[in-house]
Structure formats: structure tokens, C-alpha cells
Amino acid sequence: MAVHILKNNIFVLETKNTHYVLGIDKYGYNRHIHWGKKCYLKDYEATDIWDENSNHTRLDMAKQEYTTFGGTMYRESDLKVVFSDKCREIELEFEGATEDGNQLTVILKDKVYPLQIALKYKVNDNDDIITRWAEITNTGTEKIQLDRVFSAELTLPSQYPYKIKNTNGSWGGEYVETESELQGGALSFDSKRGTTGHNQSPYFIAHHNADEKKGDVYFATLAYSGSFKVLCTRDLFYTTRVSLGLNDHDFKHELLGGETFKTPMVFCGYTVGFGEMSRQMNRFAINHVLPKQFNNKILPVLYNSWEATEFDVNCKHQTALAKLASKMGVELFVMDDGWFGGRNHDRAGLGDWFVNKKKFPKGIDELINNVNKLGMDFGLWFEPEMVNPDSDLFREHPDWAYHYDTRTAHTLRHQLVLNMTREDVQEYIFECMDKMLTDHNIKYIKWDMNRPLSETGAENLACPQELWYRHTQAVYSIVDRLKEKHPTVAIESCSSGGGRSDYGALLHFDQVWPSDNTSSVDRMMMQKWFTYLRPTKVMRAWVTDVNWYNPPMSLDFRFHVAMQGALGIGGNLTNYSLSDLACAKKNIELYKEIRHLVQFGDLYRVLDPDCDEILFNVYVSEDKKEAVGFISSYVTRFMKKQISFKFEGLDDDTIYKLKIGDTKYEKSGAYLKNVGIPLTIRGMGYNKIIKIKAK
Ligand code: DGJ
């Protein structure tokens, strides 16, 4: 795939199936020209069809790649600045464009002030995903204040009102999908919490009447884990635009002479149907986003002790759990909260990242050795950005938490947020975690974050509103430093469940905790929404003993739902009966046979539990030689019992073998796709896994 720089200052990003076209027109404005199916390169131009009058201005109408504040432009802008003489207008001219393999850089600069904007674009060989970001440089010596700096603006091609998907989630109810038709005005999705949060998502999915297989789908996701904004507008000319970037609600950034501000990246694409969108983003994330240590590796089956023991951890009980876990086939044993400082409950201890001597009188190595001897790796929980007022850290450094002397620093879950913009705080966190990783055989960390920021006083900063951005960058930087020094350690992003499961996190963390709600019934939908834009392999999915007000489901059913992600077990194994343990063992064995398909295959959502009552997901290997189908139904009504399950994603001409009960089938892909396999679905909690292999 390629970047084409055409003679008339038209730039074409060619992806596998699409063209994304931008250019500079005769007025020097940056213009968006096309995003969608491929056309002849020679036809592209920045047409001049505008009818400026006293109300409708040329700049106002323009479909632009990056809109700056000022002039007769009354739309939203992507960049707002204050120059040293207090001028707030930006007037750009085109400086040049360069192409470097699959990357395009378009340079714009202010006509008077030392401000340069580099619009950056990147394409890949095998997909339709474009990476965009902007680099804003102060080429002078006087400071320039940034008041808003978005990463990218995207113009949707059609005049009709798009339906725009986002989420309206909450703790325990993450990723709940919303869809709003944007007829006029604005739709805004954001977080003002300093984290991504559980509520709205830093992405948009726009379509007209698309479904899994058909219809134009435009989407973009922001790679950022802090306060974000996704601003969708439809103007009087029926043009729909979406800008994504850092939230500007309490934002400023001082750009000193010679400095460049690089915005977070946006990954955007156009596909036909939602299914193709998910498959492209899945593969793109694995190949181009996830940290390289683990992106191509199968994630191990883990056990996490949180729901079994909460804060009451000790060597004896954890070892008892570990023995049972290893018998089942678990590969990674994780001790969650409670192992450090005075952490006997959630009111104390955060910040004191030293092993609790009362709980582990012989040190933590006794437990780690036990776990290792059982053939499993060991993992540990941290919540690095936090401090309990009842902790040695806070007693020694009360000024290390965000605060104003004149205001109450509100605790949530009895904890305050550390001022991560301070270098001494960053060093303290890095050193504590580094020491644990250096001194002990730890192969995995769960990095938790259980409350949003508040009372964000940060006296150390000359420009206090920079703290939102700097906090997030500090998290990324500590994670990156730890990974560099300890490359065999995998790190999971958790934030009270799925509060930090965005693409910014995916650039640094290896996996994600999607939700504290582990009820298999709720997870059936949450997993669909999670994997809409995110890769399946990062989605940790535990089998637990709770049902969160849903009907109780069999252990088999719970396994089958969790086996559609990176399988984990979180129940209290000491309460498991012999038949439960056998059921768990059988399913873990099966998972190990099929997890390469789940974690790396192409997902086809054939039946949706929300509208079809039955979930039928098929994961197909890239070479189409293998597949696995999951059927789960938590309820069947109206005698809906005979269904032909039609597989998708298979190769028409390949003969596949499969076995259901005692019945063996040898059928072509065409048959399995068009005729399907009949099954009788009856009763609550029906579930089945069907393995398919080319003959
Ligand atoms: C919130 C996480 O989402 C849980 O999985 C668990 O780690 C607790 N924190 C521990 O305090």
C-alpha cells in the first residue's frame, strides 16, 4: 500500500481497499477530499464549488483535515492557541509534503507566527486502517499557549445523517452500546476524569444502515487513556465531521521555543459492515499497536485470587488455591490486592509497596516458589497511582497527592491520587515496582487504578492545567520503563474493571481487565462490545462464582463464555466439588486446543444474543484451515429449538471435518456457510463448542 503525492498538491493514502484523499487548494487551505472506495488517482482534485456570501463563508464550509481557530470560520476547531502577543488567530499556509514509504507528512505553518503543524498519516500493507496524529512545533523563542489540540478531524462522505455509536457504560456495566442519529448540531462523547473511565468511549462508529456484513462503516479510536473528547457535528451543509483528541475542558499546554507537542494517535478506517471493522481492528492491533513482547504470543490461562480471598491473603491459603489451579491446568497464578503494607482492607496501605510481614513472615518468595514448583508463573497486583491517607507514604509525603491547601481533598474508596506529574513520585513508584520485579520471580503485573482525579492542585507545574496530560504520560512512561528493564513481565491494565481499556493503554499494556462484572450472561454482550474495536486476545475473561443478579449459569456455560477471550479463573476453588474441578480441567484442556483461534483468529458474529437470543461466534484461522464455533444461549423462548448454524469465514472449496456428539460431518465450506449444521437448542444455558478442521 502506498502514499501518493500528486502534482496538484493532492495526497492519496492507498490502503488495501480504500483511498483517503486530502490536499491543498488554491487558497492554501488544507482540504479533505475523499474517504472510501478507490477511484482513479488522476481524477482527484480540490474542487472550488463554494458560494461565499455574507453568512456562509468559504472557510466555514470547508471540509478540512485540520481546522484551526480564527478568521471567518465559525465551526469547531482542532487547534486553538494564544501567541505571546495575545493574538489567538491562526492563518496557515502550505509549506510542503513528504512521503516516506507508508507515511505522509503535510507541513503547514502560520503566515506570521512561529507555529508549524505537521499532519501525519500512516498506512499499512494489509488493512484499511490509517494512523493519524498532529505535531505542533513552536519554531520561535517566545512561548505559545495551546488551549485545544485535537489529534485528527475526519469528514464523513455522505450528506445523510449518520448513526453514531458510542457507549454509556458504568462500573460493572462497561461498554453498553449507544447509537444516536446526528441530524444537526453536535454530539460529544468525553471523559473529564483524568482516565478514560467506564462511561463514554474515545471512539466513534458511524454508519447509515450497516449491519455485520453490509453498509458503509466509518470509525476512529483515540489512543489515549486520560480525559478525551470525541466531537461529532453536522452543519447546515449536511456535512458530518468528527474530531478526536485531548479534552480541552481544563486544558492548557505551554509550548516553549523549539518544543513540539505530539498529539495522541487516532486509528481510523472505513469498512463494509461491522464484522469487517472488528476483524481489521483486531489484526491491526495485534500487528501494529500492542507492545512487541507479547503481541504475537498466546496469553496464558491465569488464576486470580481476588474474588476468593479479597484482602485476606497469606501463603497457606494462596498455596491451597495454587495447588487446585495447577491441577486444572492454570499457567499463571496471580495474587491480587492485599499483599503489601497495612492492606487488611481498602482503607489503608496503598503506596506502601512492601510485602506485609505479618501475612508473609517468611517473605513472598515462599509463595512464589510454591507456585513455580507447581509449574505456574507468578503475578502480582499493584495500584501505583494511589495512596491511602492511612499509609506510611502519605504520612511521610502528604504533599505527594493532588491537593489544594484550601480545599478538601476528597477520598474515593478511601484513597487519594498521587501527583504523577512530580518526578520524585514517578521515581518512587518505579523503584518500588522495579525492586519487586528484580528481587522476585514475577512474570505479570496487574496495574489497577480505582478512582478518578479530583482537586487537581499540582504546585510543581508552571501551567497547572497540563497535569491531566502529564499524569497519563507518566503512567505510560513508568510502564514502558518497567517493560524495558523486565521484558519478560506482562502488564495488564485495570481500572476498577474496564476504566482504562482504550487504545492508549493498548500501546503500552499487554492485556486488559474489561469489567469487574464477571457474570457470564452480562459478559456475553460486554465481550461483543469490547471486541467491536479492540483485539480479542487482550480481553481477560474470568470464570467466577458470581452472577451479578443474572440467572445462575452452569460452570460449563461460564467457561464457554470466558473461553472467548484470554481465559482466567477467579472463583474460590476451595469450594469447588470434584466434578467442578473436573469440568474446569476439561474446559481448560479444550481452551488450550482452540485458544490460538480465539486469540488470533478472525471473529464472525453470526448470531447476536441481544436480538437472536443465541450467541453464535465463529473464530477462523487466517489461513482458513481451522475454526471454532461457540454457541451459547442463556434462555430459549417460543420453542426456538431447531436451528441450522451457518458458519461464516470458511473457504467455500475446502472440505472441513467436524464432530457433534457422535455425529461426524465432512462438508465443504460452501455447505457449512449456506446450509449449516442443524442443532436442537433447548432450555436455559445451552452451550456448545464446535471445532472444525480442514481435511
Ligand atoms: C478493582 C479491580 O477491578 C479488581 O479486579 C480487583 O483487583 C480490585 N480492584 C482490588 O482492589
Side-chain angles (χ1 to χ4, degrees):
M1 298 304 105
V3 168
H4 306 275
I5 296 190
L6 307 183
K7 279 202 186 102
N8 47 349
N9 283 337
I10 300 290
F11 316 116
V12 182
L13 304 170
E14 184 170 2
T15 71
K16 195 173 163 207
N17 302 296
T18 73
H19 275 169
Y20 184 104
V21 188
L22 58 143
I24 306 295
D25 66 15
K26 65 178 184 193
Y27 307 100
Y29 298 154
N30 73 81
R31 296 270 302 275
H32 173 78
I33 294 168
H34 172 64
W35 187 15
K37 303 226 157 69
K38 292 185 185 184
C39 308
Y40 291 113
L41 290 183
K42 66 177 179 43
D43 285 344
Y44 292 124
E45 59 176 329
T47 42
D48 189 11
I49 51 158
W50 310 347
D51 61 339
E52 185 163 82
N53 63 32
S54 63
N55 285 302
H56 305 155
T57 76
R58 182 169 282 144
L59 260 182
D60 220 13
M61 275 179 245
K63 295 175 180 172
Q64 291 198 279
E65 283 297 296
Y66 203 71
T67 303
T68 51
F69 178 84
T72 55
M73 193 290 299
Y74 303 100
R75 290 181 279 113
E76 291 286 349
S77 51
D78 300 308
L79 183 68
K80 273 195 82 185
V81 307
V82 184
F83 294 111
S84 56
D85 63 359
K86 305 273 185 270
C87 173
R88 301 192 309 284
E89 294 275 317
I90 300 173
E91 225 186 311
L92 294 177
E93 61 190 9
F94 176 56
E95 172 90 347
T98 55
E99 161 265 318
D100 173 14
N102 285 355
Q103 189 166 316
L104 169 72
T105 304
V106 176
I107 308 273
L108 310 164
K109 69 175 180 54
D110 192 274
K111 287 183 176 161
V112 175
Y113 294 91
L115 175 75
Q116 182 188 281
I117 303 171
L119 301 181
K120 299 276 191 173
Y121 302 81
K122 221 170 157 180
V123 292
N124 312 297
D125 288 338
N126 296 318
D127 60 42
D128 296 308
I129 311 299
I130 296 167
T131 301
R132 283 192 60 179
W133 72 97
E135 292 180 7
I136 316 298
T137 302
N138 178 346
T139 54
T141 49
E142 303 282 317
K143 161 177 100 188
I144 300 174
Q145 180 181 298
L146 309 180
D147 282 350
R148 173 188 274 188
V149 53
F150 285 160
S151 298
E153 177 174 328
L154 295 158
T155 305
L156 306 187
S158 296
Q159 305 295 301
Y160 50 63
Y162 282 88
K163 290 182 186 137
I164 299 191
K165 287 183 191 287
N166 199 272
T167 59
N168 194 13
S170 57
W171 173 77
E174 287 90 337
Y175 322 115
V176 176
E177 190 183 280
T178 59
E179 185 169 277
S180 322
E181 189 173 271
L182 179 56
Q183 299 195 346
L187 261 179
S188 168
F189 307 102
D190 80 350
S191 158
K192 303 182 185 71
R193 296 168 169 266
T195 62
T196 340
H198 306 77
N199 188 208
Q200 298 171 349
S201 299
Y203 65 65
F204 78 89
I205 301 167
H207 71 106
H208 188 46
N209 275 324
D211 60 25
E212 282 293 298
K213 293 187 196 165
K214 62 171 178 19
D216 291 342
V217 180
Y218 290 86
F219 55 91
T221 180
L222 178 73
Y224 185 61
S225 311
S227 300
F228 68 85
K229 196 175 213 172
V230 177
L231 188 53
C232 320
T233 57
R234 185 164 185 256
D235 70 10
L236 65 162
F237 307 104
Y238 307 131
T239 300
T240 302
R241 301 176 174 86
V242 187
S243 289
L244 304 94
L246 305 175
N247 200 328
D248 56 345
H249 88 288
D250 184 37
F251 173 85
K252 281 194 198 322
H253 193 94
E254 290 183 349
L255 203 56
L256 304 181
E259 280 184 353
T260 295
F261 185 87
K262 182 178 170 191
T263 67
M265 288 186 270
V266 162
F267 307 127
C268 55
Y270 155 67
T271 54
V272 174
F274 301 122
E276 185 59 15
M277 169 189 79
S278 303
R279 289 186 287 277
Q280 287 225 10
M281 282 304 283
N282 185 50
R283 212 156 280 295
F284 170 77
I286 292 172
N287 293 334
H288 303 289
V289 180
L290 293 174
K292 290 295 169 220
Q293 293 97 323
F294 296 98
N295 67 324
N296 279 322
K297 295 208 173 87
I298 291 274
L299 292 195
V301 177
L302 72 69
Y303 176 80
N304 180 297
S305 66
W306 171 244
E307 294 198 9
T309 52
E310 294 210 341
F311 302 99
D312 189 16
V313 296
N314 59 54
C315 185
K316 196 170 159 211
H317 196 183
Q318 295 291 307
T319 303
L321 289 168
K323 280 185 182 154
L324 293 165
S326 91
K327 273 197 195 141
M328 290 176 168
V330 167
E331 297 155 308
L332 167 67
F333 181 89
V334 181
M335 178 160 62
D336 209 276
D337 203 345
W339 58 270
F340 53 90
R343 191 73 169 165
N344 298 316
H345 40 66
D346 64 6
R347 297 185 298 284
L350 289 177
D352 300 338
W353 302 110
F354 311 102
V355 178
N356 181 311
K357 295 246 168 66
K358 278 196 194 128
K359 295 181 181 182
F360 297 93
K362 295 187 189 156
I364 202 175
D365 277 341
E366 190 189 9
L367 173 62
I368 297 179
N369 290 339
N370 289 347
V371 167
N372 290 161
K373 273 190 218 141
L374 289 163
M376 296 181 292
D377 282 333
F378 181 79
L380 203 57
W381 179 95
F382 287 85
E383 195 177 357
E385 296 148 82
M386 298 292 155
V387 64
N388 283 117
D390 184 2
S391 66
D392 291 342
L393 182 69
F394 190 76
R395 282 183 278 275
E396 204 176 321
H397 297 290
D399 54 326
W400 277 15
Y402 289 121
H403 72 286
Y404 291 102
D405 289 342
T406 53
R407 301 286 174 213
T408 305
H410 283 97
T411 55
L412 293 171
R413 208 197 190 203
H414 316 286
Q415 61 200 55
L416 296 169
V417 186
L418 287 172
N419 178 353
M420 298 289 287
T421 70
R422 288 177 65 128
E423 272 177 29
D424 46 7
V425 170
Q426 293 173 23
E427 278 320 295
Y428 172 79
I429 293 170
F430 176 77
E431 278 166 21
C432 288
M433 297 181 79
D434 175 42
K435 185 157 172 37
M436 286 303 293
L437 294 179
T438 306
D439 293 352
H440 308 286
N441 188 18
I442 296 170
K443 292 285 182 239
Y444 157 103
I445 283 176
K446 181 171 167 189
W447 178 304
D448 206 343
M449 203 288 188
N450 281 302
R451 61 154 292 177
L453 281 53
S454 70
E455 293 90 24
T456 46
E459 275 176 8
N460 53 312
L461 297 179
C463 176
Q465 292 94 329
E466 289 183 8
L467 85 116
W468 302 98
Y469 175 71
R470 289 187 183 276
H471 183 111
T472 305
Q473 294 306 313
V475 171
Y476 294 156
S477 135
I478 296 173
V479 172
D480 291 350
R481 282 172 70 194
L482 289 170
K483 289 185 130 251
E484 203 183 325
K485 191 150 174 215
H486 306 279
T488 57
V489 177
I491 310 190
E492 177 168 319
S493 166
C494 168
S495 180
S496 270
R500 199 183 255 161
S501 54
D502 55 87
Y503 265 86
L506 295 186
L507 281 165
H508 303 271
F509 294 87
D510 306 292
Q511 49 199 288
V512 170
W513 180 229
S515 176
D516 283 344
N517 181 346
T518 49
S519 159
S520 50
V521 172
D522 283 343
R523 280 278 177 127
M524 285 165 79
M525 285 315 295
M526 281 169 134
Q527 294 185 173
K528 173 190 162 184
W529 295 320
F530 182 98
T531 54
Y532 235 49
L533 283 179
R534 302 173 187 84
T536 306
K537 82 174 286 250
V538 304
M539 183 179 71
R540 269 292 166 198
W542 299 355
V543 177
T544 67
D545 309 333
V546 294
N547 55 40
W548 285 62
Y549 310 106
N550 291 151
M553 307 307 283
S554 71
L555 189 57
D556 218 37
F557 185 95
R558 284 178 269 150
F559 260 99
H560 287 197
V561 172
M563 282 159 73
Q564 294 184 61
L567 179 65
I569 292 96
N572 190 347
L573 304 183
T574 54
N575 293 338
Y576 274 37
S577 67
L578 285 178
S579 72
D580 288 343
L581 292 170
C583 169
K585 188 166 188 273
K586 177 198 76 186
N587 276 307
I588 292 174
E589 267 166 24
L590 174 59
Y591 181 68
K592 288 178 183 169
E593 285 168 26
I594 57 168
R595 64 180 163 183
H596 60 290
L597 298 169
V598 173
Q599 293 189 22
F600 293 100
D602 289 323
L603 166 61
Y604 291 81
R605 292 178 288 256
V606 187
L607 295 177
D608 182 332
D610 224 18
C611 40
D612 304 313
E613 291 181 7
I614 295 164
L615 174 148
F616 181 36
N617 282 341
V618 179
Y619 300 80
V620 185
S621 64
E622 208 173 354
D623 62 7
K624 297 189 182 290
K625 294 220 161 96
E626 264 187 287
V628 60
F630 286 80
I631 301 169
S632 322
S633 160
Y634 67 92
V635 61
T636 43
R637 296 159 61 214
F638 310 122
M639 304 291 284
K640 237 188 196 180
K641 50 188 189 189
Q642 267 284 328
I643 295 187
S644 278
F645 286 90
K646 294 177 185 161
F647 289 77
E648 288 178 16
L650 304 178
D651 176 48
D652 280 356
D653 300 323
T654 300
I655 305 297
Y656 296 92
K657 281 163 70 169
L658 59 135
K659 191 174 160 224
I660 299 175
D662 292 331
T663 316
K664 287 184 182 163
Y665 295 87
E666 268 193 34
K667 298 283 180 194
S668 66
Y671 179 92
L672 293 170
K673 280 156 75 177
N674 297 302
V675 182
I677 299 292
L679 282 175
T680 304
I681 311 290
R682 220 185 260 135
M684 194 175 100
Y686 179 92
N687 67 95
K688 193 162 278 311
I689 293 178
I690 304 170
K691 290 192 290 174
I692 297 185
K693 246 196 170 135
K695 211 175 135 188

